[in-house]
Structures are given as C-alpha cells and as structure tokens.
Amino acid sequence: DAGVIQSPRHEVTEMGQEVTLRCKPISGHDYLFWYRQTMMRGLELLIYFNNNVPIDDSGMPEDRFSAKMPNASFSTLKIQPSEPRDSAVYFCASSLRDRGFYEQFFGPGTRLTVL
Amino acid sequence: AQSVTQLGSHVSVSEGALVLLRCNYSSSVPPYLFWYVQYPNQGLQLLLKYTTGATLVKGINGFEAEFKKSETSFHLTKPSAHMSDAAEYFCAVSDHGRGGSNYKLTFGKGTLLTVNP
C-alpha cells in the first residue's frame, strides 16, 4: 500500500498566484480530510469529504480557498489568490470505517511558502 | 464542543529516562482518544488509540497511554526514552456517537519531545 500521496511536497509562489495542492487517498478509503499546520495555530481541519461529497467546510479560512474531490482517488485544494499568511504545511488524510471509528492516515504534507 | 489540552509544548528527557506527555480533554460524551507522532518533515502517524474496553492502551514503539475518565486525561508514557523517539506528539479526541460525527478529530497543539544523549 502506497499510503496517502500528496504533491507537490514543496511549493514556493508569489502573492497573488494560484496554488493547487493535490492528494491521492488510500485506495478504498471513503473519507478524505484536508488540514493546515502552522506554528501559531497548530493543526486545523479545513474540510472533509465522504464518498467524494464535501461534508463540512467550516474550517476553510475564506473564499480564496476551495476544495474538490472529482472521484474517489483524487482531491485538490486550491488557493486563489494566495497570500503570505497562507504559508503553512498542508496535510491530506484519508480513513475507512473500522468498527465505528475512522482512523486517519496522513500524507507527508505539502510545505507552501507564499512570498 | 470538544477540546484537547497538551500540557507543555516542549519536553526534554535524557536517553533511558521515563517519557511522560500530558493530555487532558473535554467532551460531552465518552470520547475516542488518540496519540499521533510526527517526525521531522513527515505526516502524522498513529501511535495508539482508546475507543472502548481496557483503559490502558499499548501502542507502537513501546508507548502506552491510560484513559482516566475521572481526570479527563489520556497521558502518554514510555519507560525508557530512545533517541529515535525525538518527535512531536499530538493528542486528539473524537466525539463519537453524535449523529455520525466520530470521523472528525480535534487535535491538541502538540508537544515536542527532545531526547538528550
């Protein structure tokens, strides 16, 4: 099993540019989560999907952020336009129900730097 | 709403010494509790979890944690620290049984463990 795959691992961009982060969940998992990690705010849940449908996007900071999951094996998180305060590590995680609990498996993260 | 408090953002121990990382939670229902570990430049990896049953839970790499309902705590311990244990540790809680919401995790701020030779 390849685990959760994220790309790119590092992204450096300039303020105002569009940024797209990609995630491939573990095959067969039915939940997908996007998190953001910063020193100041720790680990924050941005949005999660169940069977490709967004369930809760209350953690998305503002309209500049959007996420999609067109199929069970792919999701994107887009920031347009990007701002320096968006600099963070973005994690994708996926899960599958196991006796009523959903253990989350994390990808390696994308380190985003907005100049 | 549930929350997690990790006491001590940074813990430093000597190799071979006891590791104790503290976690307290608040939840309106009996929670599911987890400890995750994050090595530098990597994602989070599950160390152990408590759902139901035995309150002392054993995980990978010699770690264990005990769920104490009366103290609303889930502290992580390891009898003897190894250099390879240096990492950041996160406690998390899920509020299961509430309309199927048991798939969301609320994380603590994390505790950075340093192991000195």
Side-chain angles (χ1 to χ4, degrees), chain A residues 9 31 33 35 37 40-43 45 48 55-56 91 98-104 106-108 111, chain B residues 32 34 36 38 41-46 49 51 88 90 94 96 100-105 107-109:
Chain A
R9 292 294 309 276
Y31 278 85
F33 306 81
Y35 291 89
Q37 185 179 38
M40 291 295 294
R41 301 174 68 89
L43 198 62
L45 176 64
Y48 71 90
I55 302 300
D56 184 350
F91 289 103
D98 175 17
R99 287 174 290 175
F101 167 69
Y102 295 65
E103 177 180 336
Q104 295 186 21
F106 283 74
R111 183 174 296 277
Chain B
Y32 289 167
F34 313 87
Y36 280 82
Q38 184 179 27
N41 301 313
Q42 295 187 26
L44 279 71
Q45 176 185 356
L46 184 68
K49 66 184 179 189
T51 54
E88 188 154 22
F90 293 88
S94 78
H96 74 101
S101 63
N102 58 345
Y103 32 75
K104 285 180 66 172
L105 293 180
F107 286 88
K109 296 288 188 184

Side-chain angles (χ1 to χ4, degrees), chain A residues 1-2 19 24 29 34-35 44 53 61 72 81 102 106 111:
Chain A
D1 192 334
V19 175
K24 177 179 169 56
H29 281 193
W34 281 102
Y35 291 89
E44 305 172 274
V53 176
Y102 295 65
F106 283 74
R111 183 174 296 277

Side-chain angles (χ1 to χ4, degrees), chain A residues 4-23:
Chain A
V4 176
I5 298 172
Q6 291 187 248
S7 65
R9 292 294 309 276
H10 302 273
E11 176 80 35
V12 180
T13 190
E14 293 189 347
M15 182 173 64
Q17 296 298 305
E18 176 179 296
V19 175
T20 299
L21 311 181
R22 297 172 175 80
C23 175

Side-chain angles (χ1 to χ4, degrees), chain B residues 32-115:
Chain B
Y32 289 167
L33 296 159
F34 313 87
W35 277 98
Y36 280 82
V37 60
Q38 184 179 27
Y39 297 103
N41 301 313
Q42 295 187 26
L44 279 71
Q45 176 185 356
L46 184 68
L47 264 182
L48 49 80
K49 66 184 179 189
Y50 168 79
T51 54
T52 58
T55 56
L56 182 62
V57 180
K58 295 185 185 300
I60 61 173
N61 301 337
F63 283 93
E64 61 183 36
E66 186 171 10
F67 169 58
K68 292 187 176 180
K69 183 179 177 181
S70 61
E71 299 178 7
T72 61
S73 70
F74 191 57
H75 302 331
L76 181 70
T77 60
K78 182 174 180 178
S80 177
H82 192 273
M83 296 295 289
S84 61
D85 294 327
E88 188 154 22
Y89 292 80
F90 293 88
C91 183
V93 61
S94 78
D95 188 6
H96 74 101
R98 284 277 183 97
S101 63
N102 58 345
Y103 32 75
K104 285 180 66 172
L105 293 180
T106 299
F107 286 88
K109 296 288 188 184
T111 298
L112 181 64
L113 176 66
T114 301
V115 182

Side-chain angles (χ1 to χ4, degrees), chain A residues 80-97:
Chain A
Q80 166 64 15
S82 58
E83 296 182 3
R85 60 193 168 117
D86 301 330
S87 297
V89 180
Y90 291 81
F91 289 103
C92 176
S94 70
S95 66
L96 174 69
R97 181 173 183 143

